[in-house]
Structure formats: structure tokens, C-alpha cells
Amino acid sequence: MRLPKALLVALLASGAALSAFRPRPTDETLLQRIARQVGEYYTTARQEKAYLHLDRPVYATGETIWFSAYVVDGSRHQLDSLSQVLHVDLLSPQRKVVARRTIRLQGGRANGDIDIADSLTAGTYVLRAYTNWMRNAGENFIYSRRLSVWPASPLSPPDVPTSTPGGAGSNVRRVARPGQPDIQFFPEGGYLVEGLPAVVAVKATDATGRSLAVKGQIMNAQNAVVVPAYSSRHAGMGRFAFVPGAGQRYHARIVLPDGTATDYPLPASQPSGYTLHVVESADDFLVEARYRGPGAPGAVQLMTEVRGVVAYPGPRTLTADAPVSWRMPKKNYPSGIVHFTLFDGQGAPQCERLAFVLNGPSALRIAITSDQTNYGPHAPVQLNVRVTDAAGKPVATNFSLGVSDAGLTAIDPQAETIASNLLLTSDLVGYVENPGYYFREPSAATAQALDDLLLTQGWRRFVWKEVLAGQAPPMPFTPERDISLVGQVVSASGNRPIPNSQLTFLQMRPGKVVATGTTDVNGRFSFAGIPVTDTALITLQARRAQGGSNVLIKPDFGPDPTGGPLPLLPQLSAAPAGVASFIKRSRQAQAADLDLHPEKAVRNINLGNVSVTAKRETVPRDDPRRLYGATGGTVIDFANDPTAKSGMNILQMLQGRVAGLTISGNPPNMTAQIRNSGSPLFILDGMKVDIDAISSINSADVESVEVFKGTEAAIFGGSGGAIAIYTKRANPNYKGPLGASPGIATVKLPGFYAAREFYQPRYNALLTNPPADLRTSTLYWNPLVRTNANGQAELHFFTADGGGTFQAIAEGLSVDGQPAQGTSSNFVVRGK
């Protein structure tokens, strides 16, 4: 359709942006310049998003999470090939990484699985997924999802611990007191201005980020009631309207769920400034701007943006006497979060506001039909899948599909979906409770709740100050094409990056690889294309550009888990309907599996007071650090020597302990000679280093030292012999704490994870005595499916031993980036 004459729209992220309205830079209007700068930001940032579709919404200890990964372009939501490596982590309730997968992406798709070890404690876990490139946008924009893990394994501890969620926006008055709820107030547009009508959104949560239903009143400094009745609506959120008076301070008297009342201050009102108010109708956004202050502000301009699509009308002349307004048609935007910004005549942003636009259904429809409604054990099942758009036309789609216990969906009915993630939560900072609520059953109530969410959940994809200054977004991370080792070299105190540090990379297994590199201006380094089949053992040595090894090497294993405590699981009596029966079935299945495979329980046998001792062999002859194959040296055991904990360096520890080895001088200026034949070579964990590197290592970090003299050292070359140092960190079997060692770091780097196939037996009449089939909660899982050109696919599997009511759930993405989802009708399986 033809756009209104005053409205300009441009797709900035596609690469073809801006040419339609940028004849020459000298001819640019103010908003054309701003639009160009936004376009340049999107072109440079090339943001990515990740989403994981899981086989079901809830798990128990001892079970397996099966997932299908989608990595897309952040603007168009098309499957992206910029990155070819995806990292998936499972974080415990204490926010410790308990499982990690590095997966190769092919065309933005991958799949994998993570075992929830039966020795883990039940509680709220976090599943996160990210590419290296995604981390440039900040940790708030990596994929993160909370999972309830219940204590179902016969071997799992019964206790339920605590843990942590992520941050909140800025430009907001935040009050968080020990033992009290977190109440936040968000003026629409960003500010309260004296004498101008204001809408203030409120969000109430507990310490774990769970919403709280609250009510109360708004009062001025004299405790006069300004807003007589306020109450939250959905998920602890709501809003109220009032006009701030001159020189007044306001507070909210909030009644908490336990009936107690507590006062919380509102943000201070400004004597002058701008406000922005947005009213949504079925077809438009009506945007109103006001000003209060000295003089006339003159022309103001409005810019709106959704995933790189910029739309802006003509300027308006604003006075202190009357507001100005714009009517913005929703049809001009793709579905997603609309970012409204009010600019003054000099191009400075004054107010910002988020809203949501949905043109058509939130997702394509995936219709799933089973060939029957009732099945017996070991019976064949056929599922017919068809993907269509709102008009019923077929759409070619990549999707994943799981068939699970129908009761599990009821446990978490508002869980996130691929639509809620790509269109909403992936562009918001912080935890969003029950994101599926806003999309499953659209209504006036859900639309109002969604608007409350956007008033209280801050926008952080870019910051205007940086964009308008032409400042390129920081890019410390590069797209990964293969296994890589990245990190940073910092000062010994850990506070200052060391640029131009000289790095030596030594891979010890599965094969020997030696490489060198230099850190950038921020002290960062990257070694890419590392040949890894299983797990590589790598040693890094760093020296300053001027020499000296008093630096620390900090390998980067992903974002550090941060946040406040995660919510506890409820008592079983207060758990959602279906949890108790789910736990019972899971326990029965795992107990039956242990009966069939008792070897799985061997690792958990308690030996009581039995004491097992063995003589420890220092530096086994097949140790991968013995790269030179030398044997026969004199071995000094540091690990079992109490004096090694005295803080002396290695050379001090060696004084007088090896015949023919002479150590002289005092730290840090010490020398070594073997049989007066010159200075020996120093070998640290299989890598040649100089004496300065050895002098900086604390003897408490050393496992053993081996001194080679005469013919023993012939393999090393030279005439001065050799001293080989083996640190505890580099021992592949070392289980102790891994502290930092100056100038040296040893890393175990896993290769690409080989995803397992979901157990899908094929039964036939010739199979007279099949093995036990214990599939209970998840009956079928197919992570990588694609429809034909007619949007259709056909899937086949067999039922298991047990019975129950099951449901198929599919999620996916079309070629042009439209999310797709669908659920089948329930079907019944009769157990044996």
C-alpha cells in the first residue's frame, strides 16, 4: 500500500537501506542523518539471536534434555550462517556450569543433548546458548531459559538449593532492601515533569525475580493521597496516572502480599523537560509529546524503529501551551518491539518509549495430526505435519518436534515459544516471567499486560549517545567458524590488559601443535581452527612485549554466570498439577533402568569407613607433557613435600637436592648449572621457557621436577642438561583448585559435541523378545525436520512399553524468518 506522504520508511539492516532517502550527505535532513547512523550501526553489529526448542518443558534429575537450536539474523530472523559454532551451558541452582556443549552450526541449525546427572541437586536451573559473536551485544542478549528440575532420580540428593536472575534497566528509581520485595517505578518516556500529565508503570518482584501482586496509594511529601487506589495487574505489573506538582516529592505506600505496608519513593520530578505518551488502537499508535520549561522548544521530531525498520513523520512545532501528536500506522512495521524516540530540534534524544506491534498471527500454524487416537504398546505411529500461513497457504519450514506426556504442558502452560523469544524476550533486558502468556490467547487483557511489560523492561539494543556520535559498537568477539581458544592477557593484579603480549600456543594432545600470536590493544587473543577430535590439552605462555612473564592469562570459557538468587522449587504439595505424577513415573523408569543396568550405580556406592590407599606414581611415563620422550632423569616430588607450601620458588626448592645441580643467587636473580656445563634448558609442561618464567612460579603449584644430566639430556640438544617442571594444572587428571599462574595457563579444550540420537526402536513381528523400552515422559524427538515445498512432512515412530496420554509439539522457522508453532490433539497409548 502507498505510504502517507509525510512518512518515510526504510529497512536499515538489509544492506540496501538508506539509498532511497540519502541523495548526498550534504542534503540530509536531521532525521535522515539519524536514520543513516542507525542503519550503519545495524550493518556493523549484524546481531544474532539464538533459540532452543526443548523436547518438553520440565525435567527431573537423572534425565536428559534434548534440544534443537536455531540461530538467526537479529533483524530479519532468517537462519544465519555468520557464526558456525554454538555454545550451550547448563547452570546449576548455584549458577555453576555443570554441563557444556560446543556444537557445530550448519545454516543456523544444530541439535544436541545434555544429561542432568543423577548426582545433581534438584532446583531451578538455567539453560543458556550463545555464539561468540552474540556476546558483543552484551550478556543480557544471550539466550537464557529457566528450567525446573525435580528430584526424581533414586540417586539424587533430596535437598533443593537457591541461586540467581539477571539485571534490570537503568534510568529508574530502584529500591531493593534485604528481605523486602523489589519495587520499581518507570515514568513513561523516562521522566516526570512538573505540571505535565504522567503515566508511571510499576513492577513488583521478590528477590528471585518472581512477580508479586501488590496494591497501595500514591502520596506527596505531606502524606496527602494523590492516587487513592493502585493495584498490580498481571505478573506484579501495573500503572497509574497523575500530574506532578511543583517542588513536590512523591512516594508509594505499597501493601505487600503478607499484608504489611511499606513506603517506596518515586523518581524525582524535573522542573522542566519533555514527556512522551503513546496510546494504541487497533490500527495505529497515537503518539503525544509535551514540553514544560523556559522558552519555546521549537521543532521536535519523532523516530520509530522495529528490528532495523525505521519510520518517521514530519517535524512538529511544540510550545509550552499545547501538545503535538503523530499517528503512526502499525501496518508500516514488521512484528516486534517498536522503539519510539522524541528528538529536539538539535537532534538530541529527549524521551524514549517501547510498544509492541503484531501484524497478523504471531506465528505460522503447524498442524499435526496422528493416524489414530489410541495405540497399543510397540505400535507404529504416523504424524502428518503441515505448515500454513494466516491465509492457509503452505510454507516451507525448518522445524523440530517432540512427543511428550500431555500433562507436562499443563505444568508450565505459559513457557516461552520461538515466537515469544524472537519477537519479544530476545530484545529485552532481564528475566521475563511466563513469556508465552502474551501470545497464546491474544486479548485486550494480554495486550495491556504486554504494554505494562514494555514500560517496565528496558530497551538496550543500542544507546543513542554512541550511535549519534558515530561510535562503532564494541566488537571484542569475532564470529567463530571452528573450534577456537580466546582470552585476555592482563597484569599480575588482574586489573589492566596487556597489549602486544607475545603468546606461545602449545597443543599437547591429541597431536603436537605449536603456534605464536600477539594480543591486541585490549590484551585479547584468539587462536582459531584448532584441530580437536575429543579434548585438546593446551598450554599457553605469555610475555610482555618488553619481556617479563609477570602477567596472567585468562582463557575465556563464556560469560561468567551472574545474577541474584534463583527461586526455590515449591513444596511438592504446592507444586503445579501433574508434577507429582511426573516425578513418580520418572522415578519408576530410572529405577527400572538401574535394575537392567546396575553398572550405572557403581560410581555412587558408599564405602563407609573403608580406606583405600595406593602409591602415587609421579609423572607417569605416558604423561602427554613428556613431548620429548626423555626418561631416566632425577625426579623430585613437590606434591607430597610440605616445604613446597612455604612460598619458595622452584629454584630455591631445588637447592642442594640434586647431585651435580648448582643453584646460586637470590630471588629474583638466580642461576642454575648442571655439572658446570653451562645453563640448562627449562621445559615447562612440555614447552621450552626461560629461567625468568620458572622463577615466577610458586612451588606449591608444581607437581614434580625432573632433572636430566649428561646423556640423559641428549635428546634436548645443547650441553647444559635440562630441567623439566610439571605443574599440577597441566596434569590431565588433576582435580584440585585451578588458580592462576603468572605467564602460564593450561587449558582443556573440548571438541565439537557429537549429538546422540534419541532412542527410537523399530518393532516388527520377528522381534519376539525386545529389550525393555522405558520411554515415559518423552516418547519421540526429532530435532531436524524440513517440510517439502507444499509445507508438509510425515514422521514415523513406535510407542513404548508404558502407557499414557501424549501430545506432539512442534516449533520452527520459515525460510523468510517467520516463527512457526503448533500442537497436536492428545492421543492415548495403552501400556503393557
Side-chain angles (χ1 to χ4, degrees):
M1 297 182 65
R2 187 174 182 182
L3 301 178
K5 184 176 181 180
L7 185 67
L8 292 180
V9 178
L11 179 60
L12 299 179
S14 67
L18 305 170
S19 59
F21 57 85
R22 191 181 62 179
R24 294 193 311 271
T26 54
D27 296 335
E28 287 181 315
T29 66
L30 174 64
L31 283 191
Q32 286 173 346
R33 174 180 61 81
I34 295 173
R36 173 177 55 79
Q37 291 172 315
V38 173
E40 291 169 350
Y41 172 88
Y42 271 96
T43 300
T44 303
R46 290 196 64 182
Q47 293 157 347
E48 291 180 320
K49 297 179 181 180
Y51 175 74
L52 299 183
H53 175 211
L54 310 184
D55 63 309
R56 49 191 159 101
V58 65
Y59 296 90
T61 54
E63 294 188 328
T64 299
I65 301 170
W66 300 89
F67 62 85
S68 181
Y70 298 81
V71 177
V72 303
D73 171 271
S75 297
R76 295 165 293 175
H77 293 168
Q78 295 176 348
L79 288 169
D80 191 31
S81 59
L82 178 64
S83 295
Q84 296 180 11
V85 180
L86 180 70
H87 305 278
V88 180
D89 298 337
L90 181 66
L91 277 57
S92 72
Q94 293 77 32
R95 289 199 181 269
K96 304 294 184 183
V97 177
V98 295
R100 173 165 285 160
R101 300 287 183 261
T102 301
I103 302 173
R104 184 181 290 281
L105 288 165
Q106 294 183 335
R109 297 283 279 116
N111 67 288
D113 54 272
I114 294 177
D115 287 332
I116 307 171
D118 50 25
S119 58
L120 291 175
T121 308
T124 302
Y125 283 65
V126 173
L127 188 67
R128 66 180 187 180
Y130 54 92
T131 66
N132 204 42
W133 182 253
M134 284 174 63
R135 297 177 61 190
N136 290 317
E139 295 176 12
N140 284 306
F141 294 104
I142 69 172
Y143 174 82
S144 179
R145 174 174 180 166
R146 294 183 181 183
L147 292 178
S148 295
V149 176
W150 296 87
S153 168
L155 303 174
S156 63
D159 298 327
V160 180
T162 59
S163 258
T164 23
S170 59
N171 299 325
V172 54
R173 181 61 177 264
R174 184 185 182 94
V175 181
R177 301 174 183 172
Q180 291 199 4
D182 185 10
I183 311 295
Q184 302 175 58
F185 301 94
F186 299 81
E188 184 182 21
Y191 306 98
L192 295 177
V193 180
E194 295 173 358
L196 295 183
V199 172
V200 179
V202 185
K203 185 171 187 176
T205 60
D206 64 16
T208 69
R210 279 180 171 164
S211 61
L212 294 174
V214 298
K215 58 185 178 180
Q217 297 176 321
I218 311 302
M219 302 177 174
N220 63 18
Q222 292 75 39
N223 286 325
V225 175
V226 177
V227 178
Y230 163 79
S231 61
S232 58
R233 292 184 287 214
H234 174 73
M237 297 177 292
R239 68 179 73 185
F240 61 87
F242 80 119
V243 179
Q248 278 285 354
R249 295 300 302 264
Y250 298 91
H251 63 274
R253 182 155 295 166
I254 298 295
V255 180
L256 304 173
D258 63 1
T260 61
T262 306
D263 286 356
Y264 294 86
L266 268 63
S269 302
Q270 299 183 168
S272 64
Y274 297 81
T275 63
L276 189 68
H277 180 54
V278 177
V279 177
E280 182 180 357
S281 67
D283 300 320
D284 306 292
F285 292 109
L286 180 61
V287 185
E288 181 183 87
R290 293 176 181 267
Y291 173 79
R292 172 61 58 89
V300 291
Q301 309 199 50
L302 181 72
M303 175 172 283
T304 66
E305 184 263 341
V306 183
R307 291 193 282 123
V309 174
V310 167
Y312 51 90
R316 302 284 191 271
T317 300
L318 184 60
T319 68
D321 299 323
V324 295
S325 62
W326 298 266
R327 189 171 296 276
M328 307 299 292
K330 291 182 177 180
K331 63 185 179 181
N332 293 322
Y333 304 104
S335 296
I337 296 174
V338 188
H339 185 193
F340 295 93
T341 307
L342 180 71
F343 290 89
D344 63 20
Q346 287 69 48
Q350 295 294 337
C351 296
E352 295 181 74
R353 211 291 203 178
L354 301 184
F356 191 83
V357 62
L358 184 63
N359 284 316
S362 61
L364 302 173
R365 180 174 182 266
I366 302 180
I368 310 167
T369 55
S370 57
D371 59 336
Q372 300 181 49
T373 56
N374 287 272
Y375 300 89
H378 300 180
V381 179
Q382 176 178 311
L383 295 181
N384 295 305
V385 181
R386 187 167 186 263
V387 185
T388 57
D389 61 16
K393 296 180 179 179
V395 180
T397 302
N398 288 279
F399 71 96
S400 40
L401 182 143
V403 178
S404 61
D405 181 348
L408 299 183
T409 303
I411 294 175
D412 192 5
Q414 310 300 346
E416 73 167 4
T417 64
I418 192 169
S420 69
N421 177 268
L422 295 182
L423 298 179
L424 181 66
T425 57
S426 60
D427 286 320
L428 293 178
V429 169
Y431 170 67
V432 176
E433 186 176 36
N434 297 327
Y437 165 82
Y438 304 101
F439 294 90
R440 292 188 186 278
E441 296 181 7
S443 65
T446 57
Q448 184 67 73
L450 179 54
D451 198 51
D452 288 342
L453 173 71
L454 294 174
L455 282 173
T456 60
Q457 205 92 5
W459 170 274
R460 290 295 179 274
R461 272 294 177 186
F462 60 80
V463 178
W464 276 120
K465 181 179 179 180
E466 298 170 358
V467 172
L468 297 179
Q471 181 178 337
M475 300 273 180
F477 302 100
T478 58
E480 288 181 297
R481 303 288 181 177
D482 214 323
I483 296 290
S484 61
L485 175 59
V486 299
Q488 189 177 33
V489 177
V490 297
S491 59
S493 63
N495 297 325
R496 183 170 56 87
I498 305 298
N500 303 315
S501 176
Q502 307 300 307
L503 279 159
T504 301
F505 171 102
L506 176 63
Q507 180 173 326
M508 300 182 180
R509 67 180 191 194
K512 180 182 176 183
V513 178
V514 180
T516 58
T518 305
T519 59
D520 65 14
V521 293
N522 297 311
R524 299 196 64 84
F525 64 85
S526 175
F527 291 97
I530 301 172
V532 184
T533 54
D534 182 11
T535 298
L537 186 61
I538 296 165
T539 297
L540 296 173
Q541 181 188 18
R543 297 181 61 82
R544 295 173 180 266
Q546 302 83 5
S549 57
N550 58 331
V551 296
L552 294 179
I553 303 173
K554 299 172 65 176
D556 190 333
F557 299 111
D560 291 331
T562 57
L566 287 167
L568 295 171
L569 293 180
Q571 296 293 325
L572 196 56
S573 58
V579 168
S581 58
F582 158 66
I583 293 176
K584 180 180 179 180
R585 289 192 304 274
S586 182
R587 284 178 176 168
Q588 290 172 342
Q590 292 187 53
D593 186 53
L594 285 177
D595 288 341
L596 292 170
H597 305 283
E599 70 278 1
K600 294 183 179 181
V602 170
R603 64 184 183 277
N604 292 282
I605 293 176
N606 186 355
L607 297 180
N609 294 323
V610 177
S611 177
V612 180
T613 60
K615 184 177 181 180
R616 177 178 171 275
E617 180 184 2
T618 304
V619 195
R621 296 307 177 188
D622 61 350
D623 191 297
R625 293 170 289 177
R626 289 183 170 276
L627 298 179
Y628 299 93
T631 60
T634 302
V635 177
I636 300 93
D637 183 2
F638 277 44
N640 296 313
D641 188 340
T643 61
K645 300 178 181 179
S646 63
M648 293 189 295
N649 67 27
I650 297 173
L651 297 176
Q652 288 175 300
M653 284 286 295
L654 290 176
Q655 282 181 314
R657 301 186 66 171
V658 180
L661 173 62
T662 303
I663 305 292
S664 57
N666 295 304
N669 301 311
M670 301 185 74
T671 61
Q673 276 195 336
I674 296 178
R675 294 177 176 172
N676 298 317
S677 299
S679 299
L681 293 173
F682 288 93
I683 314 296
L684 179 62
D685 291 325
M687 181 173 62
K688 291 183 180 181
V689 296
D690 58 33
I691 194 170
D692 290 337
I694 299 303
S695 300
S696 64
I697 298 177
N698 192 308
S699 57
D701 295 329
V702 176
E703 184 176 56
S704 61
V705 173
E706 194 165 11
V707 180
F708 299 92
K709 298 171 286 187
T711 57
E712 299 169 354
I715 192 172
F716 298 106
S719 58
I723 299 177
I725 297 95
Y726 304 93
T727 65
K728 295 175 180 178
R729 295 171 185 79
N731 186 335
N733 299 314
Y734 180 62
K735 303 299 183 183
L738 296 175
S741 180
I744 296 291
T746 301
V747 179
K748 295 178 184 178
L749 189 66
F752 284 117
Y753 179 72
R756 295 176 293 171
E757 288 191 20
F758 184 83
Y759 178 61
Q760 297 173 20
R762 299 191 67 83
Y763 298 105
N764 56 59
L766 299 178
L767 194 62
T768 57
N769 190 24
D773 187 346
L774 303 177
R775 290 172 292 152
T776 54
S777 296
T778 299
L779 189 61
Y780 175 74
W781 170 246
N782 196 328
L784 301 171
V785 192
R786 182 161 188 161
T787 66
N788 59 23
N790 295 320
Q792 297 176 337
E794 192 174 282
L795 305 174
H796 299 267
F797 61 94
F798 285 82
T799 60
D801 291 351
T805 302
F806 293 88
Q807 184 182 62
I809 298 177
E811 292 191 303
L813 204 64
S814 69
V815 175
D816 62 355
Q818 297 182 75
Q821 58 197 51
T823 303
S824 75
S825 298
N826 295 347
F827 60 86
V828 176
V829 175
R830 302 183 305 277
K832 296 177 68 174

